[in-house]
Amino acid sequence: MTKYIRRAAALCVLLLVALLVNATRVQVFPSRAYDDSPANRRPVIARWAQPRGDIVVDGRPVTGSKDTGEQLRYERTYQDGPLYAPVTGFASQRYGTTLLEHAEDPLLDGSDPLLSFLPLWNDITRDRNAGGEVVTTIDAAAQQAAYLGLGARRGAVAALEPATGRVLALVSRPSYDPGVLSGNGPSVTDAWARLNGDAGKPMLNRAVRQTYPPGSTFKVVTAAAALDTGVITDLDAPTRSPAPYTLPGTTTSLANEVEGCENASLRHAFEWSCNTVFAKLGVDVGLGAMKDTARAFGFNNADLRIPFSVSPSNFDTEMDRAQLALSSIGQYDTRATPLQMAIVTAAVANGGAVRSPYLVERTTTAAGRTVATTSTRTLGQAMNPGTAMRLRELMRGVVEDGTGTNAAIPHATVGGKTGTAQHGIGNSGTPYAWFIGWAQSDDAMEPQVAVAVVVEDAETVRGDISGGGDAAPIAREVMEAVLKSTDHQLR
């Protein structure tokens, strides 16, 4: 009898060992497949079982979490949702995540191993840490100034700190409240359909995901190429430019919106935006130098992230001379995001050095321990420092004596460039109004802000004057807000 008991006991031990081995096998080898199976709701339940970490602007959380008491317990909430939507994006239980909510998702939902002192233990226990915080570089006053400045008009604003690349404002209008997409009920489905069907495309982040023909604001790039290559050596010397200018190899004449452009100096042509002068300059510089300069400013860069992706801005690398002439004044196939044109402006303000833009200052645990910080990184040198100094002089002239006087700020030095971008069949559409500029307080050592503004539905249609009339006042409000914030911090 004892023999049979021993055999039964041995069989039980064997079965127990087999059970443990199989359980271990399931935990180690096919566990990822089980985790990723659409039928497995445990990861989704765990993801929303605790409050999500916050996104912070100027020391204040602009996000939160609401306890619903349902299986997917916590829903995302937003403070001033439409104002910060181009920064935060949305975190939806049904439709996933976008922008910062997506780029920093592992930290915000608590699954990032860097949040734990013992990441391996979390892997074994499948525990989640409390969600961390994402501290942004956004200046709340500048963000609000850009949002209110655009008002009901379609458009976008991007503002940078030239010396570092910190993103100070990122606004797109029309906007939307990300909170309407947070849950998973019928109202969320209805909101998704409504937002996607809206002709105004409120979920499109125009500041970083929409490219526009930059129009005359691109003349900053052309001027930089002309000065760097020595095609222009004297800002006040005649440029031997006819008006109108016949595009090379064609019978098509290019005209100007203003008088006095024939044989104008670079200074006069820049202040009053003479198309004929800059079209000829682009041809004289040549395709090779023009595309190299555009690339140095950041055009044709498909890898830019802030940390979410930015649509690449385009300057064609293969063109005939007529196409090059048009591209040199921001037409033909040249296209840029507002962020890209802010990068161009910041490079001029920063002595020609192009800083990589970034939106996240640092990330922390829920308890405040720093997880990671973002440091200033240089993408390259867009132009010689001497060229940057002369461009700053030209841009000051636009604001003091030219088409950009609406951007002037008391007790500050401001440089800028206005522009209109023709579009539509036969350029029949209302031009996009552009203004790019930088500002420096009288008591500051260097420019503190660079900004780009585009207004899609400008009311004034008069060449570059629409940029000065519609976009420049918005840029002025944003730059002034940054200068006031900076001066207050210094005091």
Side-chain angles (χ1 to χ4, degrees), residues 44-277:
V44 178
I45 294 171
R47 173 180 173 81
W48 301 104
Q50 65 180 21
R52 193 169 170 83
D54 284 324
I55 297 172
V56 179
V57 173
D58 266 354
R60 180 178 73 91
V62 296
T63 58
S65 295
K66 177 178 67 175
D67 189 348
T68 66
E70 299 176 358
Q71 188 179 53
L72 303 184
R73 183 170 175 180
Y74 287 94
E75 287 183 7
R76 194 55 145 167
T77 61
Y78 296 89
Q79 302 292 325
D80 299 316
L83 174 62
Y84 292 109
V87 175
T88 63
F90 62 77
S92 171
Q93 293 176 352
R94 182 177 292 272
Y95 298 109
T97 54
T98 59
L99 303 182
L100 269 189
E101 292 277 28
H102 180 74
E104 300 291 348
D105 187 48
L107 182 121
L108 292 168
D109 74 6
S111 63
D112 192 329
L114 293 177
L115 293 171
S116 175
F117 285 108
L118 296 172
L120 183 60
W121 178 251
N122 281 24
D123 288 342
I124 295 172
T125 62
R126 302 297 180 93
D127 285 341
R128 282 178 183 258
N129 297 288
E133 286 194 345
V134 175
V135 180
T136 71
T137 59
I138 292 294
D139 182 304
Q143 184 81 1
Q144 188 166 32
Y147 186 80
L148 295 177
L150 282 170
R153 293 172 293 183
R154 296 183 190 180
V157 178
L160 301 173
E161 185 176 69
T164 62
R166 296 171 70 246
V167 178
L168 302 177
L170 207 64
V171 169
S172 176
R173 298 210 70 173
S175 190
Y176 72 104
D177 182 1
V180 301
L181 300 175
S182 292
N184 55 55
S187 63
V188 172
T189 306
D190 293 343
W192 179 260
R194 183 181 71 255
L195 290 170
N196 280 283
D198 192 323
K201 298 182 179 178
M203 288 198 295
L204 171 63
N205 190 339
R206 288 168 163 84
V208 296
R209 297 281 171 84
Q210 178 68 37
T211 60
Y212 302 88
S216 292
T217 59
F218 190 79
K219 291 171 184 174
V220 173
V221 178
T222 304
L227 290 166
D228 259 3
T229 57
V231 171
I232 295 290
T233 56
D234 186 345
L235 300 182
D236 297 300
T239 54
R240 301 179 184 177
S241 303
Y245 171 64
T246 302
L247 298 178
T250 75
T251 57
T252 302
S253 291
L254 181 68
N256 298 294
E257 296 288 338
V258 294
E259 301 294 331
C261 290
E262 184 174 0
N263 206 28
S265 68
L266 182 62
R267 188 186 304 276
H268 179 88
F270 196 90
E271 289 180 3
W272 295 100
S273 210
C274 296
N275 286 334
T276 53
V277 173

Side-chain angles (χ1 to χ4, degrees), residues 2-26:
T2 304
K3 177 175 67 175
Y4 295 113
I5 292 174
R6 285 199 302 269
R7 289 178 179 177
L11 180 61
C12 289
V13 170
L14 181 63
L15 290 175
L16 179 60
V17 169
L19 181 64
L20 291 173
V21 168
N22 188 59
T24 302
R25 181 190 66 81
V26 170

